[in-house]
Amino acid sequence: MKRLLISAAVALTATTAFAEYPEKPVTIVVPFAAGGPTDKVARDLAEALRKPLGGTIIIENVGGAGGTLGATKVAKAAPDGYTVLLAHIGISTAPALYRNLQYKALEDFEYLGMINEVPMTLIGKSTLPANNYAELVKWLEANRGKVNLANAGLGSASHLCGLMFQSATKIEMQTVPYKGTGPAMTDLIGGQVDLMCDQTTNTTSQIEAGKVKAYAVTSKQRLTTPALAKLPTLEEAGLKGFNVTIWHAMYAPKGTPKAVVDKLNSALKVALKDADFIKREEALGAVIVTDGRLSPAEHKKFVASEIDKWAPVIKAAGQYAD
C-alpha cells in the first residue's frame, strides 16, 4: 500500500509539472542559417505560437551539414520539451544523403506535426534564350551536359528539386553547389549559372522584379500568387507525376512526455490558424497544412513515405556526404 501511495504521489507530481509546461523559454532549433526560408517560417510561426503555448520562444540557428547538425543537437537534447526542431524535407532525405548520420529520423524524435508545404519554381538567368518551358526543354536538349544547374548545397531544397528534375527529364546537367541560397541566387541573377529550382519563398520577389525568368512550378496545381499564376506545373508541361514541395514540420527529442507532446501539438494547430501567419505564408506561395499530417502519427507516416520516395532518386544520382 505504501509503495502504491508513493507511486501515485510521483505520478501526480509529474502530471502537475507537465501541466505547468512551459515554465521557461522554449528553444526552436532551426538547422539552417538565419535569413533563409526555413528560418523565416520558424520566426513567423514563433509569433503565432507564443499565445497558445503560453511562454517565451527563442529561435536558435544551428546551420551546417545540410541541416543535420541542428537535427542532431535536438535528437540528443533533454527530452523535456524545451528544445524542439523545426526542419524541412531534409529530415527525410538525410538518411540517403549522409553515410554517417548521427540520428535516426524515424526513431530519435517525437513527431509534433507538419506546418506547411512550399512549392518550387524552375527559374533561369534573365539572358536565357528560352522564354517558356517548351523552349527551355529544346534548349536543354541542345546543350546536354553544358547547362549549369545551381543549388544551395547538398541536401538543400534546390539540390533535391534539381536531382528530381534531371531524373524526370533524363537530361544531365552540371550541378553547381553553393553555401546557401543567397550566393546561388546572386550568381543566377548575375548570369554565372543557368538554372535553379528553388522554393517560392526565395524566388517570388526575384520573378516579380524581372531579375530571373520563370518556367514552371512543381506543385500539383497552378499557384494563385499573382507573380506565379501564369506558370504551368511541370506535370502539365509533360513531366507526369512530378510533384515536389518543400514541407516544414516540428519535432521533439525521443522520450519527451506525452503531455508535453500533446500541448506542443495543440499549440501548433492553433498557431496554424493565426490570420497573420496565414497571410505571410500565402504571400510567398506556401500552403498551410490542414489535413491529417497535423497529427504526430500521420506526420510520421508521411515522413516514412518521403524517405522511400527520395532514397532511389538520391542513390541513382550517386551524391553522398560523410
Side-chain angles (χ1 to χ4, degrees):
M1 176 65 75
K2 185 176 181 180
R3 184 176 298 174
L4 288 173
L5 289 173
I6 292 174
S7 297
V10 170
L12 180 60
T13 300
T15 301
T16 301
F18 297 147
E20 294 172 353
Y21 167 87
E23 295 182 300
K24 60 181 182 179
V26 174
T27 296
I28 295 179
V29 173
V30 176
F32 301 100
T38 301
D39 179 67
K40 177 170 176 50
V41 171
R43 292 179 189 277
D44 287 346
L45 182 66
E47 290 296 323
L49 267 176
R50 284 191 175 95
K51 187 174 181 179
L53 190 59
T56 301
I57 298 175
I58 298 171
I59 302 296
E60 180 182 358
N61 296 92
V62 183
T68 63
L69 294 184
T72 298
K73 177 173 182 173
V74 175
K76 296 182 177 182
D80 55 11
Y82 290 101
T83 303
V84 299
L85 175 70
L86 193 154
H88 69 18
I89 190 175
I91 201 84
S92 64
T93 58
L97 282 168
Y98 293 87
R99 293 190 177 94
N100 298 308
L101 199 60
Q102 299 300 302
Y103 60 86
K104 295 180 179 179
L106 296 176
E107 299 177 22
D108 293 343
F109 299 100
E110 300 292 344
Y111 283 59
L112 301 177
M114 289 183 62
I115 300 165
N116 66 7
E117 289 186 289
V118 184
M120 311 284 281
T121 45
L122 181 63
I123 57 176
K125 62 184 180 182
S126 61
T127 56
L128 275 185
N131 293 310
N132 55 50
Y133 183 74
E135 292 180 3
L136 177 66
V137 172
K138 291 180 181 179
W139 182 79
L140 290 173
E141 291 176 341
N143 292 276
R144 284 177 178 270
K146 301 176 184 178
V147 178
N148 292 321
L149 178 65
N151 68 57
L154 185 71
S156 65
S158 49
H159 174 229
L160 298 172
C161 187
L163 288 181
M164 186 69 83
F165 183 64
Q166 291 179 84
S167 175
T169 58
K170 296 181 173 54
I171 299 176
E172 187 175 348
M173 304 172 204
Q174 297 293 328
T175 300
V176 183
Y178 286 81
K179 293 183 178 179
T181 299
M185 183 65 77
T186 296
D187 274 9
L188 182 68
I189 292 172
Q192 281 76 40
V193 288
D194 302 312
L195 291 175
M196 184 162 70
C197 183
D198 206 4
Q199 301 174 64
T200 56
T201 46
N202 293 330
T203 63
T204 302
S205 61
Q206 309 298 346
I207 294 169
E208 288 176 330
K211 294 181 178 180
V212 296
K213 286 186 175 181
Y215 294 103
V217 295
T218 67
S219 50
K220 288 183 179 179
Q221 291 86 30
R222 290 196 180 203
L223 304 179
T224 58
T225 308
L228 310 174
K230 293 182 179 179
L231 296 179
T233 68
L234 282 172
E235 182 166 28
E236 70 178 277
L239 300 184
K240 299 301 180 184
F242 198 105
N243 178 33
V244 178
T245 57
I246 303 304
W247 45 266
H248 295 87
M250 290 182 67
Y251 310 83
K254 186 68 176 179
T256 300
K258 185 177 184 303
V260 174
V261 170
D262 289 346
K263 185 162 186 179
L264 283 165
N265 176 254
S266 295
L268 176 61
K269 289 177 178 177
V270 173
L272 295 187
K273 295 179 181 179
D274 181 85
D276 288 338
F277 179 70
I278 293 173
K279 185 177 180 180
R280 292 190 187 102
E281 293 297 288
E282 289 182 344
L284 296 170
V287 178
I288 304 295
V289 171
T290 58
D291 56 36
R293 294 171 298 172
L294 279 174
S295 75
E298 289 301 312
H299 172 198
K300 188 172 184 178
K301 188 183 298 183
F302 174 75
V303 172
S305 71
E306 287 284 275
I307 290 174
D308 292 340
K309 170 184 173 179
W310 284 101
V313 175
I314 293 168
K315 183 178 180 181
Q319 297 184 18
Y320 306 100
D322 294 330

